Amino acid sequence: MIQTLVAALMWVLVASLLILRRGRTDRSITYSALTIAIAMTLNVDAIYVVVDRVLGATNLATLLSDGLLMIGLFFLGRAAMKAGEYRPRLVRAAVGRSALFIALLGASAAFTLMDRGSTTVNFMIDLGAQPWAATYSIVAFTYCGIVVAAMLALATRQFRLGDGIQRVPPALLLIGSASGVALCVVVIVMDVAHISGNLELMSAVGATYGPLSLLAFVFLCAGFVGQPMVRYVRDRARRAQTAEMVRELEPLWRRATLVRPGLSGTNSLGSSLDDPELRLHRVIVEIRDAMIDPRVSFEVTGPDRALLERAEAHLLGADARGARESVPGRPARERGQV
């Protein structure tokens, strides 16, 4: 039941990302979500049995599912790292191609050396007493744990740097990543307990597997869906605030253009002024030009000057965020976006 729910959550995430991130050049998160969704779908018992029989009924579907999960987490970690300038060496190593290659090679080698038996939906329960089976699982989940731990570090930093509603997505990712790390630790403990014959410990620890798995995927999905949603809400709020500042400055701007006509009175700007940010910038520039032009007489009251300074601070705030989030070689509209 949990496998089915997790698979369904991942497909909801894929659909949400396709809608919320349409038009984006970088689709690494969408591709990683799709890869993980396929991996989780293969874990659904009925689907697993059918796929494994097609592959020869020797549990090769397990290797396929776990391999896709590792590849999906690799791309997810890479996308999370690209979201900002914070890229410590350990995080880069954890989500690097070399780490993925070594983990895939090690897991595949251990998988080929074990006695895989025939198709079973309880792979590690039935075969986990074999040292090679335990090695296979430990290698796979150690890699997954390392990548998720790197995501945890990135989410923690994003949470510290954010404020207000911007903290919600990294908080969700933080909880999901922490649950994912705990899940990987639980699996490794179960593997060690199984090959050592401590079935009581394996059973006791295994009771947390289902809840941790659900927590990890629920919060990770919520966090990644929440990022574009929060960005959309933030951008709409800023657009409305910018339009309101243009409206408040309009009387002052009209007086300024009467004494010193600017570009806004011509058609040279085209449709660019449909953008509230560009329009506010032009309004501020034309008011300032009228204020400093010695050829015209243009008086500005204290409240008008304060309003003008607030509008300038509003635009400068946007410029400062853009500069802080910029990454060389990436389009401005993608900077700082996961």
Side-chain angles (χ1 to χ4, degrees):
M1 178 61 183
I2 289 181
Q3 291 92 336
T4 303
L5 183 56
V6 168
L9 284 172
M10 289 307 305
W11 285 113
V12 169
L13 174 61
V14 171
S16 300
L17 291 175
L18 287 174
I19 295 171
L20 295 172
R21 295 178 63 86
R22 63 182 181 275
R24 294 290 178 85
T25 303
D26 185 5
R27 291 185 172 270
S28 55
I29 284 189
T30 304
Y31 294 147
S32 65
L34 178 61
T35 305
I36 296 173
I38 296 172
M40 294 299 100
T41 301
L42 288 174
N43 284 336
V44 177
D45 292 351
I47 297 175
Y48 177 88
V49 170
V50 172
V51 173
D52 194 60
R53 285 176 180 170
V54 172
L55 296 176
T58 58
N59 290 304
L60 278 173
T62 294
L63 180 62
L64 176 60
S65 173
D66 291 341
L68 287 173
L69 176 62
M70 294 163 71
I71 293 170
L73 286 176
F74 162 78
F75 284 113
L76 200 60
R78 299 279 288 187
M81 185 179 68
K82 291 178 182 178
E85 297 180 356
Y86 178 66
R87 302 174 185 178
R89 183 176 300 175
L90 288 177
V91 171
R92 294 200 306 270
V95 299
R97 292 185 180 89
S98 298
L100 174 65
F101 177 77
I102 292 171
L104 287 173
L105 183 62
S108 299
F111 191 84
T112 60
L113 292 172
M114 74 174 78
D115 178 9
R116 300 195 301 272
S118 58
T119 301
T120 173
V121 296
N122 299 309
F123 183 79
M124 288 306 296
I125 293 177
D126 294 340
L127 305 174
Q130 300 180 52
W132 284 118
T135 301
Y136 161 75
S137 179
I138 289 171
V139 169
F141 278 90
T142 296
Y143 174 78
C144 292
I146 290 173
V147 173
V148 176
M151 292 173 58
L152 174 63
L154 294 172
T156 301
R157 180 174 174 81
Q158 287 180 1
F159 179 80
R160 289 204 310 266
L161 294 178
D163 56 5
I165 193 174
Q166 292 180 343
R167 280 190 162 190
V168 174
L172 296 172
L173 291 174
L174 197 154
I175 297 172
S177 299
S179 301
V181 171
L183 175 64
C184 293
V185 171
V186 163
V187 172
I188 294 172
V189 171
M190 290 173 64
D191 292 332
V192 174
H194 200 170
I195 59 174
S196 64
N198 192 342
L199 300 184
E200 290 184 1
L201 175 61
M202 185 186 76
S203 178
V205 174
T208 65
Y209 178 89
L212 283 174
S213 178
L214 194 57
L215 278 174
F217 282 98
V218 165
F219 280 97
L220 285 174
C221 289
F224 282 111
V225 170
Q227 286 180 329
M229 291 181 65
V230 166
R231 192 176 301 118
Y232 174 78
V233 171
R234 181 194 63 197
D235 290 346
R236 277 187 60 97
R238 178 172 179 82
R239 190 178 181 88
Q241 185 180 6
T242 303
E244 176 63 19
M245 286 186 171
V246 171
R247 188 189 65 79
E248 291 178 356
L249 281 172
E250 188 170 3
L252 181 63
W253 168 71
R254 290 193 181 281
R255 286 200 299 113
T257 54
L258 282 175
V259 298
R260 188 183 187 280
L263 287 176
S264 296
T266 71
N267 293 324
S268 59
L269 295 179
S271 61
S272 64
L273 292 184
D274 291 340
D275 185 331
E277 298 277 343
L278 293 176
R279 185 167 182 81
L280 180 60
H281 178 265
R282 174 49 54 188
V283 166
I284 291 173
V285 167
E286 292 183 346
I287 293 173
R288 285 296 186 186
D289 286 347
M291 291 172 63
I292 63 175
D293 193 337
R295 297 170 301 175
V296 301
S297 175
F298 181 65
E299 298 294 331
V300 178
T301 65
D304 285 340
R305 189 181 297 274
L307 176 60
L308 184 62
E309 290 174 354
R310 286 203 309 272
E312 289 173 330
H314 176 75
L315 287 181
L316 289 174
D319 294 340
R321 280 197 301 275
R324 186 171 62 249
E325 294 175 353
S326 64
V327 179
R330 297 182 64 198
R333 66 188 183 90
E334 295 178 12
R335 292 169 185 165
Q337 298 175 359
V338 175

